[in-house]
Amino acid sequence: MYDFAYHKPSSLAEAARLLAADPDAKAIAGGHTLLPALKHRLNRPSSLVDLSGIAEMRGIRREGDSLVIGALTRHEAVARSSEVKSAIPALVHLAQHIGDTQVRNRGTIGGSVANNDPAADYPAAVLGLGATVRTSRREIPADEFFLGMFTTALEPDEILTAIAFPIPEKAGYAKMRNPASRYVMAGAFVSKGKMGVRVAINGAGPCVFRQAAMEAALAANWSPEAVAGIKQSADGLNSDIHGSAEYRAHLVSVMAKRAVQAAG
Amino acid sequence: MNVVHPFEGIGASVRRKEDRRFLSGRGQYTDDINRPGQLYAHILRSPHAHARIGAIDTTAARAMPGVEAIYTSADMAGIGGLPCGWQIHNKDGTPMAEPKHPVLAEGKVRHVGDPVAVVIAATRQQARDAAEAIEVEYDVLPAAATLAQAQAPGAPAVHDDLPANLCYDWHIGEKAAVDAAFAQAAHRVVFETTNNRLVPNAMEPRSAIGDYDATTGEHTLWTTSQNPHVIRLLMGAFVLNLPEAKLRVVAPDVGGGFGSKIYHYAEEAIVTWAAHKLERPVKWTSDRTEAFMSDAHGRDHVTRAELALDKDGKFLALHVQTQANMGAYLSTFAPCVPTYLYATLLAGVYSTPAIYAEVKAVFTHTVPVDAYRGAGRPEATYLLERLVDVAAKQCGFDRVELRRKNFIATDAFPYQTPVALQYDSGDYFSTLDQALQSADWAGFEARRAEAKARGKLRGIGISTYLEACGIAPSAVVGSLGARAGLYEVGTIRVHPTGSVTVLTGAHSHGQGHETTFAQLVADKLGVPVANVDIVHGDTAKVPFGMGTYGSRSLAVGGSAMDKAMDKIIAKGKRIAAHLMEASVEDVEFERGTFRVAGTDKTKALAEVSLAAYVPHNYPIEELEPGLEETAFYDPKNFTYPGGCHIAEVEIEPETGRVQLVNFTAVDDVGRVINPMIVEGQVQGGVAQGVGQALLEACVYDEAGQLVSASMMDYCLPRAEDLAPVSVATHTTLCTHNPLGVKGCGEVGAIGSPPAVINAVVDALRDYGVEHVEMPATPQKIWSILHRQQS
């Protein structure tokens, strides 16, 4: 780890100011991606802006037919939330299966979504539910938020504050974990509701993406069998020692089927 | 009176004395130790697998804050290379190739992680910062990471004077007898396999602190070692030229080793040398990534084996050809692993009359490979137990009956194998039967059918194995190339009021010696476990010792203590005879009490010890005061634990994921001192064996980069990867050590991998699958099923 300055603002405005004033500053929430990167000296921010003191970024609440989760909400809080469980049980399931106990007690939904690791869980839910990402300056639809590997529509000094999930009729999530890291090797988040039928695939490609053929099939026939036979092309998928692109492509169909099964 | 209550002697599951310290965070590991004025070393390591080193520019780095010194090999002229402790001879009688293993790379780097320079600074961070500012010119050369690459025509030479990358080409057994047997065999079964390379991953990373006292000229090295006396000998005599009397090596609490902390590593020499040079203590502690590229790796064999059977399934002969990856340099005991710890085990539990094994050891551009939990014996067991299953399948024999048919008969001991070893005792039929019953082998098909109804492929696998441990008779290993004796040393110090301190050359790094060894004293001398202290890991306290590895601590170290206790009792009898005015021949001793035979005249050990230290009424003319005895015990033979492991797995065909669902181990480890500790040792070993079979793979790419250099890619077993591991023992006593013990540290890792893979192959029996290489990862299983389906 290299030396850095440390700031702990108590308001969103102050945090945004700190980030705008220093292009080499980095925001930190739970730190579960950034801290290991710092320890490995893979990142050298001049300062860290710790968001944990910002009250307005916390909390889980219903807003009409949406469930709004503050960016600083830890995975464990989502996993244990009766509010989330009654609105979108698939999110509880997802949160319960992120990393391990230590990760769930530190990592935040905002950090996970803003980081957009291709192997993270939350981006699949955000895209698969057609959520809206709220930031310090605007609202961004999920379809416009995830731009590529570790890349989002967020500007450097823009802070993700909350995510508004439309409450679906049905939703389900299934994933195959990388045996070593336990990150997602291939996962599918499916939903049906006022946002239509949506299938978001994570882990398999460089960025979470929607699977159009599966969405069409499920729109016509919401059943596990409808997606089980749809083959995902291996072109452009990730490949490593744990899973070739072909294996990941196969897993996409299996996980989509299981996600539909889980959704009921 | 020394009444032991409750019973704490041999056979009692006494809770581990050391756990209060460990579980409450009060262990004292090397990195917990800090010396006044201490500096920190950071090792700059090669990012390349193979490169010529050009200029090393340290100008900028030297000017950085906190930097005290920067050293390269040029500064260490006159320092010896890291020695190898075992010399193997080629088929033609010539010695193996033994290229220099420099402390810091000289002229070339030969693996990713090869140390190039060391920065010593006031803080760890400053040392690391400065290391990043060192500019090294590398002329990158082609690399050979795998056995195939290193032996290909025109392969890059790891050592310039060794164009074929061959360390040795060794053999054992009678080729003519094997050829003759094959000529008349009804069945010939060929099996080829790779034994996957593993990274040991002890919980505690390696660490070392060097200190030098200029007023006395004494050097002290604290280090994460399994054998501090061996490090003192190797580093003092071969690397730094320091006399033993001026070099103290301390291995305090050590958090796991599995073999990886046996060896003498460069960092130990670097901090000891630098502390002298700077007259300041110097500490180095590895981080996890550094551990992946600097701790000795394990396994990495490629083997072709052929078994000859008669028409009834009797094994006639075995021919094995193995290539073993040594890595870039010879680690301390590397050469003996694929030879005397491997090929000598190829008889296993079977009465195969003729065996011939050829082993080629090859240098590659990878981290050195050395002994890792089981060391050679897991490789031999895996080969044999897979081969037997393959033979059963190909020739149409039942896999259990084929094993039973070929077992060495229980009345055939001592049994001389065709590959040098002579087994003293064993009962393979009983461990097999007990395991079959415990695992409900007979009821398996019903469980398979039930699993099938759930969409899972269930398989069961068996391994009947044997290993050789309790190493080792010094004269025997000396004749085989060992450059050390392998006895052990124990001192029993009975204090004036009857408590006991034991000094042992064995070293505990997770094995629970402080408890088990205390139980030996409790059992024999009748001293409560709470009043027995075990001292180990410090060359200034313990007379000598060869350390802990090869499941030797109890069989060799415990036997040394037992012999020392015999001397205590013999002397105590003479003192007691004097006190009781009896003839020494009439004095008996049992668990803490000296008694004149046939009378009620007794003296407690504490009364005798008090007399020994306060010799007012004492046979001072014929007996020295004091009650302390030391024994060196050199074993007469190896010990031969063995048994039967049965694994049951379920495969999810959609994903290829293999889940272990049941594991049964019935082991003969000789006399059991502490059943709870034995169970823990076997379970831990099984976890590592399951890791090798299903999860762990150390992967290098074509350029020699270590792909699996962190836990993100190297998959260690987690709790959910395991299943309940049922551990039972069936005892036959070792016939040649006084305790009748055989050893239990490695049986789990040795017996389990083939049981798991045999279960995986059995699960896939409807798919025509002959073999699955380790580790049986989801991707690998899916690929096999996918290939079969398309």
Side-chain angles (χ1 to χ4, degrees):
Chain A
M1 203 178 277
Y2 299 104
D3 284 348
F4 51 82
Y6 174 80
H7 306 288
K8 191 172 179 183
S10 54
S11 74
L12 192 56
E14 191 188 346
R17 218 169 23 248
L18 286 163
L19 287 169
D22 179 359
D24 293 327
K26 279 233 177 263
I28 184 165
H32 257 66
T33 301
L34 186 54
L35 282 177
L38 295 179
K39 285 184 176 177
H40 281 105
R41 299 188 160 209
L42 298 171
N43 212 314
R44 192 171 195 167
S46 53
S47 62
L48 288 188
V49 179
D50 182 349
L51 305 177
S52 65
I54 305 174
E56 59 206 279
M57 290 174 66
R58 298 183 176 284
I60 299 171
R61 60 192 176 274
R62 284 287 276 267
E63 286 183 12
D65 52 8
S66 284
L67 180 76
V68 179
I69 302 181
L72 289 178
T73 309
R74 301 198 193 281
H75 308 323
E76 192 62 27
V78 174
R80 290 170 181 271
S81 164
S82 53
E83 192 83 53
V84 180
K85 188 164 189 187
S86 66
I88 316 177
L91 266 188
V92 170
H93 171 82
L94 178 148
Q96 281 171 340
H97 292 86
I98 298 174
D100 53 26
T101 307
Q102 290 85 344
V103 169
R104 289 193 292 275
N105 276 308
R106 285 298 306 170
T108 66
I109 187 170
S112 171
V113 172
N115 189 49
N116 193 21
D117 187 319
D121 292 275
Y122 269 123
V126 172
L127 191 63
L129 287 164
T132 299
V133 177
R134 296 183 182 173
T135 79
S136 50
R137 59 173 78 147
R138 57 181 167 151
E139 296 199 344
I140 310 171
D143 287 324
E144 295 166 21
F145 183 79
F146 301 105
L147 302 184
M149 189 183 278
F150 295 107
T151 311
T152 69
L154 289 172
E155 298 294 332
D157 58 343
E158 186 175 13
I159 299 168
L160 193 161
T161 58
I163 297 169
F165 293 98
I167 297 169
E169 291 166 35
K170 291 178 173 189
Y173 179 58
K175 64 173 171 179
M176 177 77 178
R177 295 193 292 191
N178 174 317
S181 71
R182 303 292 165 111
Y183 278 93
V184 184
M185 196 144 70
F189 197 105
V190 302
S191 78
K192 180 183 180 183
K194 71 170 179 149
M195 301 303 291
V197 169
R198 298 174 72 95
V199 177
I201 304 300
N202 58 340
C207 180
V208 62
F209 63 92
R210 288 177 65 182
Q211 224 292 358
M214 289 183 181
E215 290 181 352
L218 284 176
N221 170 21
W222 180 271
S223 72
E225 297 71 36
V227 286
I230 295 179
K231 294 229 184 305
Q232 164 71 42
S233 163
D235 290 349
L237 295 192
N238 299 337
S239 186
D240 58 29
I241 58 173
H242 308 285
S244 64
E246 291 71 28
Y247 180 49
R248 283 181 154 89
H250 164 79
L251 288 176
V252 165
S253 302
V254 176
M255 295 306 135
K257 183 185 80 172
R258 290 182 182 183
V260 177
Q261 272 165 351
Chain B
M1 291 291 289
N2 284 311
V3 176
V4 177
H5 182 79
F7 180 66
E8 299 177 314
I10 290 174
S13 283
V14 177
R15 284 211 186 167
R16 298 188 356 148
K17 293 174 73 175
E18 46 272 81
D19 281 348
R20 179 161 185 165
R21 177 166 99 245
F22 295 147
L23 296 176
S24 60
R26 282 176 284 186
Q28 274 289 304
Y29 297 89
T30 300
D31 194 55
D32 292 323
I33 295 165
N34 291 296
R35 305 294 298 164
Q38 175 178 290
L39 300 169
Y40 293 84
H42 180 84
I43 312 283
L44 179 68
R45 297 180 183 279
S46 170
H48 305 293
H50 189 200
R52 200 165 283 115
I53 302 171
I56 302 178
D57 185 352
T58 60
T59 319
R62 278 178 206 278
M64 289 184 58
V67 173
E68 292 283 336
I70 297 176
Y71 302 118
T72 66
S73 62
D75 301 295
M76 296 189 83
I79 301 301
L82 300 173
C84 180
W86 204 297
Q87 186 181 51
I88 297 296
H89 286 79
N90 292 303
K91 285 174 178 171
D92 64 7
T94 56
M96 68 183 188
E98 200 172 347
K100 185 179 181 186
H101 185 179
V103 171
L104 292 172
E106 293 173 357
K108 259 185 164 190
V109 288
R110 295 185 174 86
H111 67 86
V112 171
D114 208 358
V116 175
V118 55
V119 181
I120 293 165
T123 72
R124 216 181 284 258
Q125 292 298 322
Q126 286 171 332
R128 197 168 167 181
D129 287 343
E132 287 180 4
I134 297 176
E135 289 185 24
V136 183
E137 276 178 21
Y138 288 109
D139 175 15
V140 179
L141 302 167
T146 64
L147 286 160
Q149 279 179 305
Q151 294 178 94
V158 181
H159 298 278
D160 291 340
D161 46 351
L162 268 182
N165 291 321
L166 187 69
C167 176
Y168 56 74
D169 181 6
W170 171 92
H171 66 162
I172 190 170
E174 296 294 329
K175 185 172 188 303
V178 167
D179 289 345
F182 268 97
Q184 47 179 291
H187 305 282
R188 297 173 69 138
V189 177
V190 174
F191 175 60
E192 293 180 348
T193 192
T194 295
N195 201 286
N196 43 327
R197 187 183 184 107
L198 303 175
V199 183
N201 273 301
M203 194 183 289
E204 178 205 20
R206 287 192 297 116
S207 180
I209 307 168
D211 202 353
Y212 177 70
D213 184 338
T215 65
T216 62
E218 282 177 8
H219 302 258
T220 304
L221 168 69
W222 287 266
T223 181
T224 47
S225 176
Q226 300 178 213
N227 35 222
H229 287 88
V230 175
I231 300 305
R232 184 180 66 171
L233 183 66
L234 293 175
M235 185 175 80
F238 297 99
V239 186
L240 298 181
N241 193 22
L242 303 173
E244 282 100 329
K246 292 294 185 194
L247 173 57
R248 175 184 176 197
V249 178
V250 187
D253 285 333
V254 174
F258 314 117
S260 70
K261 293 174 182 166
I262 298 172
Y263 324 116
H264 177 36
Y265 286 97
E267 296 85 358
E268 294 169 324
I270 289 169
V271 297
T272 307
W273 177 82
H276 183 194
K277 193 132 171 124
L278 298 169
E279 294 197 8
R280 297 270 299 271
V282 176
K283 176 191 272 191
W284 169 83
T285 300
S286 171
D287 67 23
R288 185 59 63 180
T289 301
E290 205 173 5
F292 270 93
M293 55 176 127
S294 69
D295 293 1
H297 292 176
R299 319 281 193 257
D300 204 342
H301 287 190
V302 172
T303 294
R304 181 188 190 278
E306 190 170 8
L307 180 68
L309 303 88
D310 73 11
K311 64 177 176 25
D312 300 321
K314 271 296 239 188
F315 302 161
L316 300 176
L318 175 65
H319 183 194
V320 171
Q321 293 162 294
T322 291
Q323 302 156 36
N325 193 335
M326 291 284 102
Y329 306 100
L330 290 178
S331 177
T332 310
F333 289 111
C336 79
V337 176
T339 49
Y340 294 107
L341 292 178
Y342 166 74
T344 52
L345 271 295
L346 288 169
V349 291
Y350 308 113
S351 56
T352 315
I355 298 173
Y356 179 61
E358 301 167 274
V359 179
K360 277 187 182 173
V362 176
F363 290 107
T364 62
H365 291 106
T366 63
V367 172
V369 178
D370 207 326
Y372 167 62
R373 203 166 191 172
R377 292 150 289 167
E379 295 92 316
T381 302
Y382 178 72
L383 180 73
L384 262 185
E385 290 305 296
R386 280 294 299 128
L387 178 58
V388 172
D389 256 35
V390 170
K393 200 167 191 174
Q394 281 186 15
C395 307
F397 298 110
D398 176 85
R399 51 190 163 146
V400 173
E401 291 316 308
L402 185 62
R403 286 177 164 85
R404 210 190 294 272
K405 183 187 286 279
N406 285 285
F407 277 168
I408 296 160
T410 307
D411 61 3
F413 296 95
Y415 175 80
Q416 178 63 51
T417 74
V419 274
L421 298 178
Q422 189 185 74
Y423 305 160
D424 64 327
S425 67
D427 176 4
Y428 313 127
F429 297 91
S430 293
T431 46
L432 171 67
D433 290 339
Q434 202 174 321
L436 290 172
Q437 187 169 10
S438 174
D440 187 22
W441 181 273
F444 171 73
E445 290 306 322
R447 296 194 294 282
R448 181 174 160 92
E450 183 275 330
K452 194 170 182 185
R454 288 185 280 112
K456 300 281 176 69
L457 305 172
R458 193 165 173 125
I460 194 165
I462 191 166
S463 140
T464 50
Y465 77 96
L466 164 146
E467 63 137 329
C469 62
I471 53 177
S474 295
V476 173
V477 295
S479 73
L480 303 178
R483 288 162 168 162
L486 285 168
Y487 50 82
E488 200 45 84
V489 185
T491 295
I492 304 289
R493 181 177 294 157
V494 184
H495 297 286
T497 60
S499 65
V500 172
T501 297
V502 179
L503 314 177
T504 174
H507 183 276
S508 192
H509 32 277
Q511 294 87 345
H513 290 173
E514 291 169 38
T515 307
T516 308
F517 290 169
Q519 286 181 257
L520 295 182
V521 178
D523 195 85
K524 190 149 181 162
L525 299 186
V527 180
V529 162
N531 290 351
V532 183
D533 255 33
I534 308 298
V535 173
H536 64 92
D538 186 343
T539 61
K541 293 179 181 169
V542 177
F544 204 73
M546 300 310 295
T548 285
Y549 38 83
S551 306
R552 68 190 302 275
S553 304
L554 190 59
V556 192
S559 294
M561 284 172 223
D562 191 75
K563 278 188 67 179
M565 285 192 284
D566 284 340
K567 294 185 186 177
I568 292 283
I569 292 166
K571 183 172 181 181
K573 280 182 177 174
R574 295 177 68 183
I575 301 168
H578 176 87
L579 294 175
M580 296 188 286
E581 297 176 341
S583 159
V584 68
E585 292 78 28
D586 293 336
V587 177
E588 298 170 338
F589 179 78
E590 192 185 13
R591 286 216 174 112
T593 304
F594 295 91
R595 175 186 303 273
V596 180
T599 76
D600 58 359
K601 283 172 87 173
T602 62
K603 285 285 171 192
L605 176 65
E607 295 174 274
V608 169
S609 59
L610 192 64
Y613 287 95
V614 188
H616 298 161
N617 175 20
Y618 193 82
I620 201 82
E621 296 296 325
E622 54 196 70
L623 210 56
E624 292 172 13
L627 197 54
E628 172 172 330
E629 297 289 348
T630 293
F632 282 55
Y633 176 76
D634 200 89
K636 296 180 185 68
N637 191 352
F638 294 84
T639 61
Y640 300 97
C644 179
H645 288 188
I646 295 177
E648 221 165 305
V649 302
E650 282 188 5
I651 294 175
E652 187 178 73
E654 275 186 332
T655 59
R657 185 161 189 273
V658 181
Q659 177 68 51
L660 184 74
V661 291
N662 219 336
F663 197 96
T664 304
V666 179
D667 299 301
D668 177 1
V669 298
R671 179 168 278 128
V672 173
I673 308 301
N674 184 318
M676 179 194 72
I677 288 177
V678 169
E679 186 178 8
Q681 286 286 307
V682 174
Q683 287 177 333
V686 168
Q688 281 177 302
V690 171
Q692 171 163 32
L694 297 180
L695 308 166
E696 298 181 41
C698 177
V699 180
Y700 281 93
D701 70 11
E702 290 277 305
Q705 284 295 326
L706 180 56
V707 178
S708 55
S710 80
M711 300 289 188
M712 290 291 282
D713 286 302
Y714 189 85
C715 186
L716 285 179
R718 292 165 165 88
E720 70 172 48
D721 297 315
L722 298 168
V725 177
S726 153
V727 178
T729 52
H730 171 85
T731 300
T732 65
L733 296 178
C734 171
T735 62
H736 56 78
N737 67 44
L739 297 169
V741 298
K742 296 185 178 181
C744 68
E746 297 161 295
V747 294
I750 291 169
S752 59
V756 174
I757 294 298
N758 285 342
V760 169
V761 174
D762 182 51
L764 300 173
R765 67 168 97 134
D766 295 340
Y767 293 81
V769 174
E770 288 273 311
H771 180 54
V772 178
E773 291 278 30
M774 299 190 290
T777 61
Q779 171 172 242
K780 197 176 282 172
I781 300 291
W782 174 78
S783 301
I784 289 168
L785 292 173
H786 186 67
R787 225 178 16 248
Q788 299 289 337
Q789 282 158 359
S790 60

